[in-house]
Amino acid sequence: PKEEDIQMMLSAGVHTGTRNSDTAMNEYIWRRRNDGVHILNIGKTWEKIMLAARVIVAIENPEDVIAISARPYGMRAVLKFAHYTGAQSIAGRFTPGTFTNQITKQFREPRLLVITDPRTDSQAVRESSYVNVPVIAFCDSDSPLQYVDIAIPANNKGKFSIGLLYWMLAREVLRLRGTASRAVDWDVPVDLFFHRDPEELKKNEEEQAAAVQVAAAPTPVYDATEEVPVAPGLIEGVAASDVVAAPATGFDATAGGFDAVPAAAAGWDQAAPTGGEQW
């Protein structure tokens, strides 16, 4: 394997197992961390991916291979794997009797199964044993290996790990068939195999739409030749000398403030009569 492939596997967490382990998986476990998590042997993971690819290529008709994933993180990877390798896929719930009940509409007779998780997809693994169909499975440190023919030790619980494993398997299958060259990198990005959360996609679309609106909004442009607003006293030809400035300190009490009492005047302003005087 290339160093790039190993780096991708490490960054995707392919080597990370679980706290529990199955006795049949002991040969694939490298060590155990201080926190109790088992670390898988990534070298054996690569060897088993190469072996699984050679088995898949040995099937004459690509449609006789079925990739199965009931786990949401593996649905997109299974569909993309089937698209690029020509295989069939079952993403989501596996209907019991798909391999054994010939009356059902979705009855299939595959020659090889690719399983994402032997525990989650236990129904498909069990039915394959009834019809003698070999099984390739991505197995974590705690996965049961009953009826599994080729176990690929890997983290089958992370979306990046599952996507990368199916991407590597599809790439190796195409290289063995001669469709893709080993001299150049595969032109399909690994991101296509990763699970995408609908809520996260919706949020990203809203953020992009908001960014587009902000970018499309016209920005105010200030021109130096524009007229500058002038004081009210200079509008309509009124000279600045004709404008009387308001006092800076407010109202002048000496000029008759609020406390000044107006002098009595004749008429309506005359003071009110006192005593018994009449109007």
Side-chain angles (χ1 to χ4, degrees):
K2 294 183 179 180
E3 185 177 354
E4 301 174 1
D5 298 330
I6 300 299
Q7 289 290 344
M8 289 174 67
M9 294 172 75
L10 290 174
S11 60
V14 173
H15 62 291
T16 307
T18 61
R19 293 180 183 272
N20 302 325
S21 67
D22 191 272
T23 53
M25 289 292 295
N26 286 339
E27 59 177 306
Y28 301 115
I29 296 174
W30 176 54
R31 55 169 291 188
R32 192 175 189 182
R33 288 194 321 216
N34 293 332
D35 58 356
V37 175
H38 293 84
I39 304 299
L40 300 172
N41 191 332
I42 210 168
K44 293 188 176 181
T45 301
W46 178 264
E47 293 176 1
K48 284 303 188 78
I49 289 177
M50 298 300 106
L51 175 62
R54 294 174 66 180
V55 172
I56 293 173
V57 172
I59 305 296
E60 296 86 358
N61 185 8
E63 293 185 356
D64 288 340
V65 179
I66 297 182
I68 300 175
S69 175
R71 177 163 286 168
Y73 282 174
M75 290 182 185
R76 184 178 174 86
V78 159
L79 293 172
K80 291 295 182 181
F81 174 83
H83 171 73
Y84 288 108
T85 60
Q88 298 186 57
S89 63
I90 299 177
R93 182 180 180 274
F94 178 83
T95 304
T98 301
F99 301 150
T100 56
N101 190 353
Q102 300 180 4
I103 301 176
T104 58
K105 293 182 179 179
Q106 64 269 20
F107 175 72
R108 302 185 188 185
E109 294 181 283
R111 293 188 58 189
L112 179 66
L113 294 185
V114 180
I115 303 295
T116 305
D117 186 356
R119 194 180 301 278
T120 309
D121 305 311
S122 59
Q123 181 67 28
V125 175
R126 190 180 298 109
E127 288 191 16
S128 70
S129 67
Y130 299 156
V131 292
N132 294 328
V133 174
V135 174
I136 298 172
F138 296 108
C139 300
D140 214 326
S141 60
D142 61 346
S143 297
L145 297 188
Q146 189 178 21
Y147 306 130
V148 173
D149 297 281
I150 298 178
I152 303 176
N155 175 12
N156 58 15
K157 295 176 176 58
K159 64 179 179 180
F160 297 117
S161 175
I162 294 174
L164 179 63
L165 290 168
Y166 272 105
W167 180 80
M168 284 186 164
L169 188 60
R171 183 185 65 174
E172 186 63 24
V173 167
L174 294 180
R175 283 177 174 178
L176 290 174
R177 288 177 181 169
T179 308
S181 174
R182 293 187 183 274
V184 295
D185 294 335
W186 195 27
D187 56 354
V188 177
V190 68
D191 299 9
L192 291 179
F193 286 70
F194 291 158
H195 171 74
R196 294 183 180 179
D197 189 10
E199 295 181 358
E200 186 178 346
L201 284 175
K202 186 177 180 181
K203 184 179 179 181
N204 292 339
E205 290 177 359
E206 291 176 353
E207 291 178 354
Q208 291 178 0
V212 169
Q213 290 180 357
V214 171
T219 56
V221 179
Y222 297 99
D223 190 359
T225 61
E226 289 184 358
E227 295 182 0
V228 180
V230 295
L234 302 180
I235 297 176
E236 297 179 358
V238 180
S241 58
D242 297 337
V243 179
V244 180
T249 57
F251 192 82
D252 189 2
T254 59
F258 290 109
D259 297 332
V261 180
W268 294 103
D269 295 332
Q270 192 174 3
T274 59
E277 296 181 6
Q278 301 296 326
W279 287 96

